[in-house]
Amino acid sequence: MTRKFTAKGLTAKGLTAKGLTAIVLPLAALTGLAGTAQAQDWTPTRSIEFIAPANPGGGWDTLVRTTSRVIQQEGLADQNFAAINVPGGGGAVAWAQIANDSGNPHKLFATSPPIILVPLAGTSRYDHTDFTPIARLITDYSIVLVQADSDYQDLNDLFEAMRENPSLSVGGGSAPGSMDHISMVGVATSAGLEASGVNYIAFSGGGEAMTNLMGGHVEAVVTGAGEASGQLGEGSDVRALGVSAPERMGGVLADTPTYQEQGIDYTFDIWRGVMGTPDMPAEAVAYYEDLFAQMLETDGWQEARDQLGWIDAYQTSEEFGAFLDAQKEEFSEVLTELGLIR
């Protein structure tokens, strides 16, 4: 039996398989945004600090650097977007710094499910309600990677080995109880393992997780498909066992089977977006809403998005805020079931 998570609410059909389904809005909905007129009332007067709350190489870092590059290349902003990495605590270190900069309209940060999961797990005093939602941008999927010469040919091989030897570890770039951990526990329990049988090792970002995979310190790594796509392909040192998408993806991931194709009824979407400091002025929020809406329509963005395997999933500040509230309710139930809420 399966359980499917949606942005509108939770429909329970069992306790094993879990999926998170993002609402993908058509780009046509971007036209006529109410914030456009307001955005003209404020523009940045200096460079914008655009923070990735992790080391280079992970999903937040990829989103920050990709959006910054596209905005600059397309000439959408007069001021520079400066990518800054603030690693630690699965995002908690960066969030603590940002929370102390209330009202600053020149500071943004990339966000995704850990902004909800990490606080729920008790490892951050700040959650999404302490910050200003700007816009949701895309959705991505989880992917499980092993070394290219690994004996594991598919996910079931890996899970059988984990069943026989619970000490085998799987690495991820997010904190315990956060996105990568939840994604891996979800697919493993859907394949028949106990949640306690997943020996998850948290690293400070996707780049560090990959380094430990190549060093043989973990059996596999769970990460975002988008951030992994640049490391896959002919001659790669890593190989993908499966992706959490509902159907096969394109590009270098075209030959990677979904979890469902391997008899594991599980999907998991990784939404990503942008948030700002607490109490950011409404005029600044409107400016950034309009800026990111324009960015999604550019050729430069669409080329980068397709290369990374992302799917546009735009939401305005108000819509994104409501979405985050709904996600907190859904993830609270998941973590409670897994015994990960402290």
Side-chain angles (χ1 to χ4, degrees), residues 300-320:
W301 169 260
Q302 292 165 20
E303 180 181 348
R305 173 204 64 198
D306 293 344
Q307 182 179 10
L308 291 165
W310 291 343
I311 298 172
D312 288 335
Y314 183 86
Q315 287 181 326
T316 64
S317 173
E318 182 177 359
E319 292 166 338
F320 191 27

Side-chain angles (χ1 to χ4, degrees), residues 271-288:
W271 51 265
R272 292 195 175 101
V274 180
M275 299 190 79
T277 57
D279 300 318
M280 180 178 283
E283 294 83 1
V285 174
Y287 170 84
Y288 291 121

Side-chain angles (χ1 to χ4, degrees), residues 190-207:
S190 297
L193 274 71
E194 295 292 330
S196 59
V198 178
N199 183 18
Y200 177 79
I201 306 297
F203 297 102
S204 61

Side-chain angles (χ1 to χ4, degrees), residues 71-97:
I71 288 170
Q72 181 178 1
Q73 289 179 347
E74 298 289 341
L76 298 179
D78 293 333
Q79 298 293 335
N80 180 52
F81 280 64
I84 301 172
N85 294 92
V86 182
V93 172
W95 302 332
Q97 293 181 12

Side-chain angles (χ1 to χ4, degrees), residues 4-316:
K4 186 180 186 71
F5 294 97
T6 70
K8 293 182 179 179
L10 179 67
T11 301
K13 297 183 179 178
L15 296 179
T16 55
K18 300 177 176 69
L20 175 62
T21 303
I23 299 174
V24 180
L25 302 181
L27 286 180
L30 304 181
T31 60
L33 286 173
T36 302
Q38 283 183 288
Q40 297 172 356
D41 297 335
W42 181 89
T43 56
T45 57
R46 63 177 188 268
S47 292
I48 294 94
E49 298 176 69
F50 200 179
I51 296 171
N55 282 319
W60 286 330
D61 182 71
T62 303
L63 185 71
V64 164
R65 295 182 187 278
T66 301
T67 54
S68 298
R69 174 175 56 80
V70 171
I71 288 170
Q72 181 178 1
Q73 289 179 347
E74 298 289 341
L76 298 179
D78 293 333
Q79 298 293 335
N80 180 52
F81 280 64
I84 301 172
N85 294 92
V86 182
V93 172
W95 302 332
Q97 293 181 12
I98 297 164
N100 289 325
D101 204 4
S102 181
N104 183 356
H106 294 89
K107 182 174 288 187
L108 304 174
F109 66 98
T111 190
S112 60
I115 191 66
I116 298 170
L117 291 164
V118 172
L120 284 174
T123 52
S124 172
R125 59 176 291 191
Y126 300 102
D127 68 7
H128 74 280
T129 62
D130 294 301
F131 305 102
T132 303
I134 301 297
R136 191 180 73 173
L137 299 181
I138 58 102
T139 189
D140 191 7
Y141 298 99
S142 288
I143 194 167
V144 178
L145 305 173
V146 294
Q147 292 189 32
D149 59 357
S150 171
D151 292 335
Y152 308 125
Q153 296 304 307
D154 57 27
L155 280 172
N156 290 303
D157 285 349
L158 174 63
F159 292 144
E160 182 59 32
M162 291 170 62
R163 187 178 289 108
E164 294 177 358
N165 183 4
S167 66
L168 295 181
S169 57
V170 176
S174 64
S178 192
M179 182 173 62
D180 291 337
H181 188 193
I182 293 299
S183 175
M184 193 65 200
V185 168
V187 66
T189 55
S190 297
L193 274 71
E194 295 292 330
S196 59
V198 178
N199 183 18
Y200 177 79
I201 306 297
F203 297 102
S204 61
E208 185 181 358
M210 290 299 299
T211 299
N212 278 270
L213 173 64
M214 298 315 302
H217 304 298
V218 293
E219 292 293 303
V221 158
V222 57
T223 187
E227 62 193 88
S229 61
Q231 303 176 62
L232 294 168
E234 188 175 352
S236 173
D237 293 328
V238 297
R239 177 164 47 84
L241 296 185
V243 64
S244 69
E247 57 187 31
R248 288 206 185 194
M249 303 176 69
V252 296
L253 300 178
D255 293 331
T256 302
T258 68
Y259 299 165
Q260 292 178 328
E261 286 181 85
Q262 300 177 64
I264 305 170
D265 197 358
Y266 178 86
T267 61
F268 189 84
D269 292 351
I270 306 170
W271 51 265
R272 292 195 175 101
V274 180
M275 299 190 79
T277 57
D279 300 318
M280 180 178 283
E283 294 83 1
V285 174
Y287 170 84
Y288 291 121
E289 277 184 315
D290 184 61
L291 176 68
F292 286 114
Q294 291 183 55
M295 182 199 70
L296 293 182
E297 295 180 327
T298 66
D299 292 339
W301 169 260
Q302 292 165 20
E303 180 181 348
R305 173 204 64 198
D306 293 344
Q307 182 179 10
L308 291 165
W310 291 343
I311 298 172
D312 288 335
Y314 183 86
Q315 287 181 326
T316 64

